[in-house]
Structure formats: C-alpha cells, structure tokens
PDB file of all heavy atoms in Angstrom:
ATOM      1  N   SER A1375      87.115 124.688   2.678  1.00  0.00           N
ATOM      2  CA  SER A1375      87.322 123.608   3.647  1.00  0.00           C
ATOM      3  C   SER A1375      88.702 123.010   3.405  1.00  0.00           C
ATOM      4  O   SER A1375      89.205 123.028   2.285  1.00  0.00           O
ATOM      5  CB  SER A1375      86.241 122.530   3.516  1.00  0.00           C
ATOM      6  OG  SER A1375      86.246 121.962   2.220  1.00  0.00           O
ATOM      7  N   GLN A1376      89.296 122.494   4.449  1.00  0.00           N
ATOM      8  CA  GLN A1376      90.632 121.917   4.346  1.00  0.00           C
ATOM      9  C   GLN A1376      90.601 120.494   3.798  1.00  0.00           C
ATOM     10  O   GLN A1376      91.604 119.989   3.294  1.00  0.00           O
ATOM     11  CB  GLN A1376      91.315 121.930   5.715  1.00  0.00           C
ATOM     12  CG  GLN A1376      91.621 123.314   6.245  1.00  0.00           C
ATOM     13  CD  GLN A1376      92.600 124.062   5.375  1.00  0.00           C
ATOM     14  OE1 GLN A1376      93.650 123.546   5.013  1.00  0.00           O
ATOM     15  NE2 GLN A1376      92.253 125.281   5.021  1.00  0.00           N
ATOM     16  N   VAL A1377      89.454 119.855   3.912  1.00  0.00           N
ATOM     17  CA  VAL A1377      89.307 118.481   3.434  1.00  0.00           C
ATOM     18  C   VAL A1377      87.812 118.201   3.302  1.00  0.00           C
ATOM     19  O   VAL A1377      87.004 118.763   4.040  1.00  0.00           O
ATOM     20  CB  VAL A1377      89.989 117.490   4.416  1.00  0.00           C
ATOM     21  CG1 VAL A1377      89.334 117.516   5.788  1.00  0.00           C
ATOM     22  CG2 VAL A1377      90.043 116.074   3.868  1.00  0.00           C
ATOM     23  N   PHE A1378      87.419 117.364   2.334  1.00  0.00           N
ATOM     24  CA  PHE A1378      85.996 117.057   2.164  1.00  0.00           C
ATOM     25  C   PHE A1378      85.826 115.623   1.670  1.00  0.00           C
ATOM     26  O   PHE A1378      86.719 115.058   1.022  1.00  0.00           O
ATOM     27  CB  PHE A1378      85.332 118.027   1.182  1.00  0.00           C
ATOM     28  CG  PHE A1378      85.650 117.767  -0.278  1.00  0.00           C
ATOM     29  CD1 PHE A1378      84.765 117.060  -1.082  1.00  0.00           C
ATOM     30  CD2 PHE A1378      86.833 118.234  -0.846  1.00  0.00           C
ATOM     31  CE1 PHE A1378      85.059 116.815  -2.424  1.00  0.00           C
ATOM     32  CE2 PHE A1378      87.133 117.994  -2.182  1.00  0.00           C
ATOM     33  CZ  PHE A1378      86.242 117.282  -2.970  1.00  0.00           C
ATOM     34  N   ALA A1379      84.679 115.051   1.996  1.00  0.00           N
ATOM     35  CA  ALA A1379      84.350 113.707   1.521  1.00  0.00           C
ATOM     36  C   ALA A1379      83.269 113.795   0.444  1.00  0.00           C
ATOM     37  O   ALA A1379      83.480 113.423  -0.709  1.00  0.00           O
ATOM     38  CB  ALA A1379      83.894 112.826   2.679  1.00  0.00           C
ATOM     39  N   TYR A1380      82.089 114.299   0.829  1.00  0.00           N
ATOM     40  CA  TYR A1380      80.993 114.506  -0.115  1.00  0.00           C
ATOM     41  C   TYR A1380      80.014 115.481   0.528  1.00  0.00           C
ATOM     42  O   TYR A1380      80.019 115.660   1.754  1.00  0.00           O
ATOM     43  CB  TYR A1380      80.297 113.186  -0.476  1.00  0.00           C
ATOM     44  CG  TYR A1380      79.867 112.352   0.715  1.00  0.00           C
ATOM     45  CD1 TYR A1380      78.661 112.576   1.377  1.00  0.00           C
ATOM     46  CD2 TYR A1380      80.664 111.307   1.169  1.00  0.00           C
ATOM     47  CE1 TYR A1380      78.269 111.803   2.466  1.00  0.00           C
ATOM     48  CE2 TYR A1380      80.290 110.522   2.259  1.00  0.00           C
ATOM     49  CZ  TYR A1380      79.089 110.776   2.896  1.00  0.00           C
ATOM     50  OH  TYR A1380      78.708 110.012   3.964  1.00  0.00           O
ATOM     51  N   PRO A1381      79.173 116.148  -0.282  1.00  0.00           N
ATOM     52  CA  PRO A1381      78.234 117.118   0.289  1.00  0.00           C
ATOM     53  C   PRO A1381      77.285 116.468   1.297  1.00  0.00           C
ATOM     54  O   PRO A1381      76.764 115.372   1.063  1.00  0.00           O
ATOM     55  CB  PRO A1381      77.471 117.635  -0.932  1.00  0.00           C
ATOM     56  CG  PRO A1381      78.406 117.425  -2.078  1.00  0.00           C
ATOM     57  CD  PRO A1381      79.125 116.149  -1.759  1.00  0.00           C
ATOM     58  N   ALA A1382      77.037 117.155   2.399  1.00  0.00           N
ATOM     59  CA  ALA A1382      76.128 116.642   3.418  1.00  0.00           C
ATOM     60  C   ALA A1382      74.709 116.515   2.885  1.00  0.00           C
ATOM     61  O   ALA A1382      73.902 115.748   3.436  1.00  0.00           O
ATOM     62  CB  ALA A1382      76.149 117.561   4.640  1.00  0.00           C
ATOM     63  N   ALA A1383      74.397 117.232   1.811  1.00  0.00           N
ATOM     64  CA  ALA A1383      73.048 117.182   1.238  1.00  0.00           C
ATOM     65  C   ALA A1383      72.758 115.859   0.537  1.00  0.00           C
ATOM     66  O   ALA A1383      71.596 115.537   0.264  1.00  0.00           O
ATOM     67  CB  ALA A1383      72.865 118.335   0.249  1.00  0.00           C
ATOM     68  N   ILE A1384      73.796 115.069   0.235  1.00  0.00           N
ATOM     69  CA  ILE A1384      73.595 113.798  -0.456  1.00  0.00           C
ATOM     70  C   ILE A1384      73.155 112.723   0.533  1.00  0.00           C
ATOM     71  O   ILE A1384      73.743 112.570   1.604  1.00  0.00           O
ATOM     72  CB  ILE A1384      74.889 113.359  -1.174  1.00  0.00           C
ATOM     73  CG1 ILE A1384      75.230 114.348  -2.297  1.00  0.00           C
ATOM     74  CG2 ILE A1384      74.739 111.952  -1.751  1.00  0.00           C
ATOM     75  CD1 ILE A1384      76.493 114.005  -3.059  1.00  0.00           C
ATOM     76  N   ASP A1385      72.144 111.986   0.162  1.00  0.00           N
ATOM     77  CA  ASP A1385      71.688 110.851   0.963  1.00  0.00           C
ATOM     78  C   ASP A1385      72.606 109.677   0.637  1.00  0.00           C
ATOM     79  O   ASP A1385      72.337 108.896  -0.284  1.00  0.00           O
ATOM     80  CB  ASP A1385      70.226 110.522   0.638  1.00  0.00           C
ATOM     81  CG  ASP A1385      69.662 109.404   1.514  1.00  0.00           C
ATOM     82  OD1 ASP A1385      70.462 108.691   2.158  1.00  0.00           O
ATOM     83  OD2 ASP A1385      68.435 109.236   1.547  1.00  0.00           O
ATOM     84  N   TRP A1386      73.696 109.567   1.392  1.00  0.00           N
ATOM     85  CA  TRP A1386      74.710 108.564   1.042  1.00  0.00           C
ATOM     86  C   TRP A1386      74.214 107.138   1.272  1.00  0.00           C
ATOM     87  O   TRP A1386      74.651 106.202   0.606  1.00  0.00           O
ATOM     88  CB  TRP A1386      75.999 108.815   1.809  1.00  0.00           C
ATOM     89  CG  TRP A1386      77.191 108.262   1.088  1.00  0.00           C
ATOM     90  CD1 TRP A1386      77.890 107.125   1.374  1.00  0.00           C
ATOM     91  CD2 TRP A1386      77.805 108.817  -0.080  1.00  0.00           C
ATOM     92  NE1 TRP A1386      78.908 106.931   0.460  1.00  0.00           N
ATOM     93  CE2 TRP A1386      78.874 107.956  -0.444  1.00  0.00           C
ATOM     94  CE3 TRP A1386      77.559 109.956  -0.858  1.00  0.00           C
ATOM     95  CZ2 TRP A1386      79.690 108.208  -1.547  1.00  0.00           C
ATOM     96  CZ3 TRP A1386      78.371 110.201  -1.952  1.00  0.00           C
ATOM     97  CH2 TRP A1386      79.418 109.335  -2.282  1.00  0.00           C
ATOM     98  N   LYS A1387      73.295 106.977   2.203  1.00  0.00           N
ATOM     99  CA  LYS A1387      72.724 105.644   2.403  1.00  0.00           C
ATOM    100  C   LYS A1387      71.960 105.197   1.161  1.00  0.00           C
ATOM    101  O   LYS A1387      71.974 104.015   0.798  1.00  0.00           O
ATOM    102  CB  LYS A1387      71.803 105.635   3.625  1.00  0.00           C
ATOM    103  CG  LYS A1387      72.550 105.611   4.954  1.00  0.00           C
ATOM    104  CD  LYS A1387      71.590 105.442   6.121  1.00  0.00           C
ATOM    105  CE  LYS A1387      72.347 105.326   7.441  1.00  0.00           C
ATOM    106  NZ  LYS A1387      71.427 105.172   8.593  1.00  0.00           N
ATOM    107  N   GLU A1388      71.292 106.138   0.507  1.00  0.00           N
ATOM    108  CA  GLU A1388      70.610 105.796  -0.740  1.00  0.00           C
ATOM    109  C   GLU A1388      71.621 105.442  -1.820  1.00  0.00           C
ATOM    110  O   GLU A1388      71.428 104.480  -2.581  1.00  0.00           O
ATOM    111  CB  GLU A1388      69.737 106.955  -1.217  1.00  0.00           C
ATOM    112  CG  GLU A1388      68.990 106.629  -2.507  1.00  0.00           C
ATOM    113  CD  GLU A1388      68.081 107.752  -2.979  1.00  0.00           C
ATOM    114  OE1 GLU A1388      67.926 108.735  -2.240  1.00  0.00           O
ATOM    115  OE2 GLU A1388      67.527 107.633  -4.091  1.00  0.00           O
ATOM    116  N   VAL A1389      72.721 106.194  -1.881  1.00  0.00           N
ATOM    117  CA  VAL A1389      73.772 105.923  -2.863  1.00  0.00           C
ATOM    118  C   VAL A1389      74.322 104.515  -2.676  1.00  0.00           C
ATOM    119  O   VAL A1389      74.390 103.722  -3.626  1.00  0.00           O
ATOM    120  CB  VAL A1389      74.907 106.968  -2.748  1.00  0.00           C
ATOM    121  CG1 VAL A1389      76.091 106.562  -3.618  1.00  0.00           C
ATOM    122  CG2 VAL A1389      74.400 108.351  -3.144  1.00  0.00           C
ATOM    123  N   THR A1390      74.734 104.191  -1.458  1.00  0.00           N
ATOM    124  CA  THR A1390      75.331 102.876  -1.214  1.00  0.00           C
ATOM    125  C   THR A1390      74.302 101.753  -1.350  1.00  0.00           C
ATOM    126  O   THR A1390      74.645 100.644  -1.767  1.00  0.00           O
ATOM    127  CB  THR A1390      75.991 102.827   0.175  1.00  0.00           C
ATOM    128  OG1 THR A1390      75.024 103.176   1.178  1.00  0.00           O
ATOM    129  CG2 THR A1390      77.157 103.795   0.247  1.00  0.00           C
ATOM    130  N   GLY A1391      73.054 102.066  -1.031  1.00  0.00           N
ATOM    131  CA  GLY A1391      72.009 101.054  -1.187  1.00  0.00           C
ATOM    132  C   GLY A1391      71.769 100.715  -2.642  1.00  0.00           C
ATOM    133  O   GLY A1391      71.679  99.528  -3.015  1.00  0.00           O
ATOM    134  N   LYS A1392      71.687 101.730  -3.501  1.00  0.00           N
ATOM    135  CA  LYS A1392      71.448 101.492  -4.924  1.00  0.00           C
ATOM    136  C   LYS A1392      72.649 100.801  -5.585  1.00  0.00           C
ATOM    137  O   LYS A1392      72.478 100.057  -6.561  1.00  0.00           O
ATOM    138  CB  LYS A1392      71.161 102.818  -5.633  1.00  0.00           C
ATOM    139  CG  LYS A1392      69.836 103.473  -5.221  1.00  0.00           C
ATOM    140  CD  LYS A1392      68.651 102.675  -5.745  1.00  0.00           C
ATOM    141  CE  LYS A1392      67.316 103.339  -5.385  1.00  0.00           C
ATOM    142  NZ  LYS A1392      67.075 104.596  -6.086  1.00  0.00           N
ATOM    143  N   LEU A1393      73.830 101.041  -5.053  1.00  0.00           N
ATOM    144  CA  LEU A1393      75.033 100.413  -5.616  1.00  0.00           C
ATOM    145  C   LEU A1393      75.320  99.045  -4.992  1.00  0.00           C
ATOM    146  O   LEU A1393      76.323  98.419  -5.337  1.00  0.00           O
ATOM    147  CB  LEU A1393      76.248 101.337  -5.419  1.00  0.00           C
ATOM    148  CG  LEU A1393      76.250 102.620  -6.250  1.00  0.00           C
ATOM    149  CD1 LEU A1393      77.417 103.523  -5.846  1.00  0.00           C
ATOM    150  CD2 LEU A1393      76.331 102.299  -7.742  1.00  0.00           C
ATOM    151  N   LYS A1394      74.430  98.595  -4.102  1.00  0.00           N
ATOM    152  CA  LYS A1394      74.571  97.279  -3.465  1.00  0.00           C
ATOM    153  C   LYS A1394      75.928  97.120  -2.771  1.00  0.00           C
ATOM    154  O   LYS A1394      76.587  96.081  -2.874  1.00  0.00           O
ATOM    155  CB  LYS A1394      74.396  96.155  -4.499  1.00  0.00           C
ATOM    156  CG  LYS A1394      73.165  96.262  -5.372  1.00  0.00           C
ATOM    157  CD  LYS A1394      71.893  96.087  -4.577  1.00  0.00           C
ATOM    158  CE  LYS A1394      70.676  96.089  -5.503  1.00  0.00           C
ATOM    159  NZ  LYS A1394      69.394  96.084  -4.773  1.00  0.00           N
ATOM    160  N   VAL A1395      76.364  98.183  -2.082  1.00  0.00           N
ATOM    161  CA  VAL A1395      77.677  98.164  -1.430  1.00  0.00           C
ATOM    162  C   VAL A1395      77.699  97.108  -0.320  1.00  0.00           C
ATOM    163  O   VAL A1395      76.764  97.010   0.483  1.00  0.00           O
ATOM    164  CB  VAL A1395      78.019  99.554  -0.853  1.00  0.00           C
ATOM    165  CG1 VAL A1395      79.323  99.507  -0.059  1.00  0.00           C
ATOM    166  CG2 VAL A1395      78.114 100.571  -1.988  1.00  0.00           C
ATOM    167  N   ARG A1396      78.767  96.346  -0.285  1.00  0.00           N
ATOM    168  CA  ARG A1396      78.911  95.289   0.714  1.00  0.00           C
ATOM    169  C   ARG A1396      79.573  95.847   1.979  1.00  0.00           C
ATOM    170  O   ARG A1396      80.671  96.404   1.912  1.00  0.00           O
ATOM    171  CB  ARG A1396      79.761  94.148   0.171  1.00  0.00           C
ATOM    172  CG  ARG A1396      79.198  93.473  -1.071  1.00  0.00           C
ATOM    173  CD  ARG A1396      80.126  92.366  -1.534  1.00  0.00           C
ATOM    174  NE  ARG A1396      79.750  91.834  -2.848  1.00  0.00           N
ATOM    175  CZ  ARG A1396      80.454  90.920  -3.524  1.00  0.00           C
ATOM    176  NH1 ARG A1396      81.585  90.450  -2.988  1.00  0.00           N
ATOM    177  NH2 ARG A1396      80.044  90.500  -4.703  1.00  0.00           N
ATOM    178  N   GLY A1397      78.912  95.714   3.098  1.00  0.00           N
ATOM    179  CA  GLY A1397      79.481  96.166   4.356  1.00  0.00           C
ATOM    180  C   GLY A1397      79.478  97.677   4.481  1.00  0.00           C
ATOM    181  O   GLY A1397      78.928  98.414   3.653  1.00  0.00           O
ATOM    182  N   ALA A1398      80.141  98.155   5.535  1.00  0.00           N
ATOM    183  CA  ALA A1398      80.221  99.598   5.791  1.00  0.00           C
ATOM    184  C   ALA A1398      81.371 100.200   5.000  1.00  0.00           C
ATOM    185  O   ALA A1398      82.512  99.734   5.107  1.00  0.00           O
ATOM    186  CB  ALA A1398      80.423  99.855   7.279  1.00  0.00           C
ATOM    187  N   PRO A1399      81.112 101.239   4.200  1.00  0.00           N
ATOM    188  CA  PRO A1399      82.202 101.896   3.470  1.00  0.00           C
ATOM    189  C   PRO A1399      83.233 102.480   4.439  1.00  0.00           C
ATOM    190  O   PRO A1399      82.890 102.978   5.518  1.00  0.00           O
ATOM    191  CB  PRO A1399      81.495 103.011   2.695  1.00  0.00           C
ATOM    192  CG  PRO A1399      80.070 102.563   2.586  1.00  0.00           C
ATOM    193  CD  PRO A1399      79.796 101.830   3.865  1.00  0.00           C
ATOM    194  N   GLY A1400      84.492 102.418   4.046  1.00  0.00           N
ATOM    195  CA  GLY A1400      85.558 103.006   4.844  1.00  0.00           C
ATOM    196  C   GLY A1400      85.956 104.360   4.293  1.00  0.00           C
ATOM    197  O   GLY A1400      86.237 104.494   3.094  1.00  0.00           O
ATOM    198  N   VAL A1401      85.940 105.375   5.141  1.00  0.00           N
ATOM    199  CA  VAL A1401      86.376 106.721   4.760  1.00  0.00           C
ATOM    200  C   VAL A1401      87.748 106.961   5.379  1.00  0.00           C
ATOM    201  O   VAL A1401      87.890 106.944   6.605  1.00  0.00           O
ATOM    202  CB  VAL A1401      85.385 107.798   5.232  1.00  0.00           C
ATOM    203  CG1 VAL A1401      85.911 109.197   4.897  1.00  0.00           C
ATOM    204  CG2 VAL A1401      84.012 107.581   4.600  1.00  0.00           C
ATOM    205  N   TYR A1402      88.761 107.167   4.542  1.00  0.00           N
ATOM    206  CA  TYR A1402      90.131 107.377   4.999  1.00  0.00           C
ATOM    207  C   TYR A1402      90.522 108.828   4.733  1.00  0.00           C
ATOM    208  O   TYR A1402      90.545 109.281   3.589  1.00  0.00           O
ATOM    209  CB  TYR A1402      91.090 106.426   4.283  1.00  0.00           C
ATOM    210  CG  TYR A1402      90.863 104.977   4.672  1.00  0.00           C
ATOM    211  CD1 TYR A1402      89.939 104.188   3.988  1.00  0.00           C
ATOM    212  CD2 TYR A1402      91.548 104.408   5.744  1.00  0.00           C
ATOM    213  CE1 TYR A1402      89.710 102.868   4.356  1.00  0.00           C
ATOM    214  CE2 TYR A1402      91.331 103.087   6.122  1.00  0.00           C
ATOM    215  CZ  TYR A1402      90.403 102.326   5.429  1.00  0.00           C
ATOM    216  OH  TYR A1402      90.176 101.024   5.803  1.00  0.00           O
ATOM    217  N   VAL A1403      90.802 109.543   5.811  1.00  0.00           N
ATOM    218  CA  VAL A1403      91.112 110.967   5.737  1.00  0.00           C
ATOM    219  C   VAL A1403      92.596 111.172   6.023  1.00  0.00           C
ATOM    220  O   VAL A1403      93.082 110.814   7.101  1.00  0.00           O
ATOM    221  CB  VAL A1403      90.284 111.773   6.755  1.00  0.00           C
ATOM    222  CG1 VAL A1403      90.571 113.267   6.607  1.00  0.00           C
ATOM    223  CG2 VAL A1403      88.797 111.490   6.598  1.00  0.00           C
ATOM    224  N   ILE A1404      93.315 111.741   5.067  1.00  0.00           N
ATOM    225  CA  ILE A1404      94.717 112.102   5.285  1.00  0.00           C
ATOM    226  C   ILE A1404      94.775 113.614   5.480  1.00  0.00           C
ATOM    227  O   ILE A1404      94.540 114.379   4.547  1.00  0.00           O
ATOM    228  CB  ILE A1404      95.615 111.682   4.112  1.00  0.00           C
ATOM    229  CG1 ILE A1404      95.592 110.154   3.947  1.00  0.00           C
ATOM    230  CG2 ILE A1404      97.049 112.168   4.336  1.00  0.00           C
ATOM    231  CD1 ILE A1404      96.432 109.653   2.777  1.00  0.00           C
ATOM    232  N   ARG A1405      95.063 114.014   6.700  1.00  0.00           N
ATOM    233  CA  ARG A1405      95.187 115.441   7.030  1.00  0.00           C
ATOM    234  C   ARG A1405      96.662 115.787   7.048  1.00  0.00           C
ATOM    235  O   ARG A1405      97.390 115.432   7.984  1.00  0.00           O
ATOM    236  CB  ARG A1405      94.532 115.735   8.392  1.00  0.00           C
ATOM    237  CG  ARG A1405      94.609 117.204   8.799  1.00  0.00           C
ATOM    238  CD  ARG A1405      93.740 118.075   7.907  1.00  0.00           C
ATOM    239  NE  ARG A1405      93.799 119.481   8.302  1.00  0.00           N
ATOM    240  CZ  ARG A1405      94.480 120.422   7.640  1.00  0.00           C
ATOM    241  NH1 ARG A1405      95.161 120.108   6.542  1.00  0.00           N
ATOM    242  NH2 ARG A1405      94.476 121.668   8.062  1.00  0.00           N
ATOM    243  N   ASN A1406      97.108 116.465   6.003  1.00  0.00           N
ATOM    244  CA  ASN A1406      98.521 116.808   5.855  1.00  0.00           C
ATOM    245  C   ASN A1406      98.886 118.000   6.735  1.00  0.00           C
ATOM    246  O   ASN A1406      99.240 119.082   6.261  1.00  0.00           O
ATOM    247  CB  ASN A1406      98.828 117.113   4.390  1.00  0.00           C
ATOM    248  CG  ASN A1406      98.760 115.883   3.511  1.00  0.00           C
ATOM    249  OD1 ASN A1406      99.429 114.888   3.776  1.00  0.00           O
ATOM    250  ND2 ASN A1406      97.942 115.944   2.476  1.00  0.00           N
ATOM    251  N   SER A1407      98.791 117.790   8.032  1.00  0.00           N
ATOM    252  CA  SER A1407      99.031 118.880   8.967  1.00  0.00           C
ATOM    253  C   SER A1407      99.220 118.317  10.365  1.00  0.00           C
ATOM    254  O   SER A1407      98.936 117.147  10.631  1.00  0.00           O
ATOM    255  CB  SER A1407      97.845 119.851   8.961  1.00  0.00           C
ATOM    256  OG  SER A1407      98.043 120.917   9.864  1.00  0.00           O
ATOM    257  N   PHE A1408      99.710 119.181  11.247  1.00  0.00           N
ATOM    258  CA  PHE A1408      99.745 118.874  12.675  1.00  0.00           C
ATOM    259  C   PHE A1408      98.403 119.304  13.261  1.00  0.00           C
ATOM    260  O   PHE A1408      97.888 120.363  12.922  1.00  0.00           O
ATOM    261  CB  PHE A1408     100.868 119.640  13.367  1.00  0.00           C
ATOM    262  CG  PHE A1408     102.248 119.310  12.856  1.00  0.00           C
ATOM    263  CD1 PHE A1408     102.796 120.028  11.795  1.00  0.00           C
ATOM    264  CD2 PHE A1408     102.987 118.293  13.419  1.00  0.00           C
ATOM    265  CE1 PHE A1408     104.061 119.732  11.318  1.00  0.00           C
ATOM    266  CE2 PHE A1408     104.259 117.991  12.950  1.00  0.00           C
ATOM    267  CZ  PHE A1408     104.803 118.711  11.896  1.00  0.00           C
ATOM    268  N   LEU A1409      97.846 118.512  14.141  1.00  0.00           N
ATOM    269  CA  LEU A1409      96.573 118.861  14.762  1.00  0.00           C
ATOM    270  C   LEU A1409      96.714 119.245  16.224  1.00  0.00           C
ATOM    271  O   LEU A1409      95.828 119.880  16.785  1.00  0.00           O
ATOM    272  CB  LEU A1409      95.577 117.698  14.624  1.00  0.00           C
ATOM    273  CG  LEU A1409      95.184 117.333  13.195  1.00  0.00           C
ATOM    274  CD1 LEU A1409      94.144 116.223  13.203  1.00  0.00           C
ATOM    275  CD2 LEU A1409      94.654 118.544  12.442  1.00  0.00           C
ATOM    276  N   ASP A1410      97.819 118.855  16.840  1.00  0.00           N
ATOM    277  CA  ASP A1410      98.031 119.218  18.238  1.00  0.00           C
ATOM    278  C   ASP A1410      98.371 120.710  18.339  1.00  0.00           C
ATOM    279  O   ASP A1410      99.046 121.261  17.462  1.00  0.00           O
ATOM    280  CB  ASP A1410      99.173 118.394  18.837  1.00  0.00           C
ATOM    281  CG  ASP A1410      98.860 116.900  18.852  1.00  0.00           C
ATOM    282  OD1 ASP A1410      97.693 116.563  19.116  1.00  0.00           O
ATOM    283  OD2 ASP A1410      99.771 116.093  18.590  1.00  0.00           O
ATOM    284  N   PRO A1411      97.918 121.380  19.390  1.00  0.00           N
ATOM    285  CA  PRO A1411      98.270 122.798  19.585  1.00  0.00           C
ATOM    286  C   PRO A1411      99.786 122.989  19.602  1.00  0.00           C
ATOM    287  O   PRO A1411     100.519 122.159  20.148  1.00  0.00           O
ATOM    288  CB  PRO A1411      97.647 123.133  20.947  1.00  0.00           C
ATOM    289  CG  PRO A1411      96.562 122.139  21.129  1.00  0.00           C
ATOM    290  CD  PRO A1411      97.046 120.881  20.466  1.00  0.00           C
ATOM    291  N   ASP A1412     100.241 124.044  18.986  1.00  0.00           N
ATOM    292  CA  ASP A1412     101.674 124.313  18.847  1.00  0.00           C
ATOM    293  C   ASP A1412     101.986 125.662  19.493  1.00  0.00           C
ATOM    294  O   ASP A1412     101.693 126.716  18.916  1.00  0.00           O
ATOM    295  CB  ASP A1412     102.039 124.317  17.357  1.00  0.00           C
ATOM    296  CG  ASP A1412     103.467 124.763  17.112  1.00  0.00           C
ATOM    297  OD1 ASP A1412     104.307 124.541  17.994  1.00  0.00           O
ATOM    298  OD2 ASP A1412     103.724 125.333  16.032  1.00  0.00           O
TER     299      ASP A1412
END
C-alpha cells in the first residue's frame, strides 16, 4: 500500500473508547505525490 493508518480489522472505536479519547480523532494523510491525471 502507498499509505496506511491502521489495520481495518482493528475495532478503533473500542481503542478510542478504552483510552477515553476526547472528541473525534483527526487523521492527517500526507500523500507525497500528484493525484490529478497526468
């Protein structure tokens, strides 16, 4: 894969719930590439 956050098999809501995360976590993706057709 060109970029990844975490395995889809992980129940991330359970992770954030057990860690008492405040608010919605922010996922910031830096894609070091051009995405428009060239």
Side-chain angles (χ1 to χ4, degrees):
S1375 60
Q1376 294 297 311
V1377 63
F1378 76 98
Y1380 51 84
I1384 295 180
D1385 184 345
W1386 205 256
K1387 283 186 176 180
E1388 181 178 353
V1389 171
T1390 56
K1392 292 290 182 69
L1393 291 173
K1394 310 293 185 187
V1395 175
R1396 300 179 190 175
V1401 176
Y1402 293 88
V1403 183
I1404 298 178
R1405 181 69 179 105
N1406 291 305
S1407 180
F1408 299 90
L1409 297 183
D1410 297 322
D1412 173 29

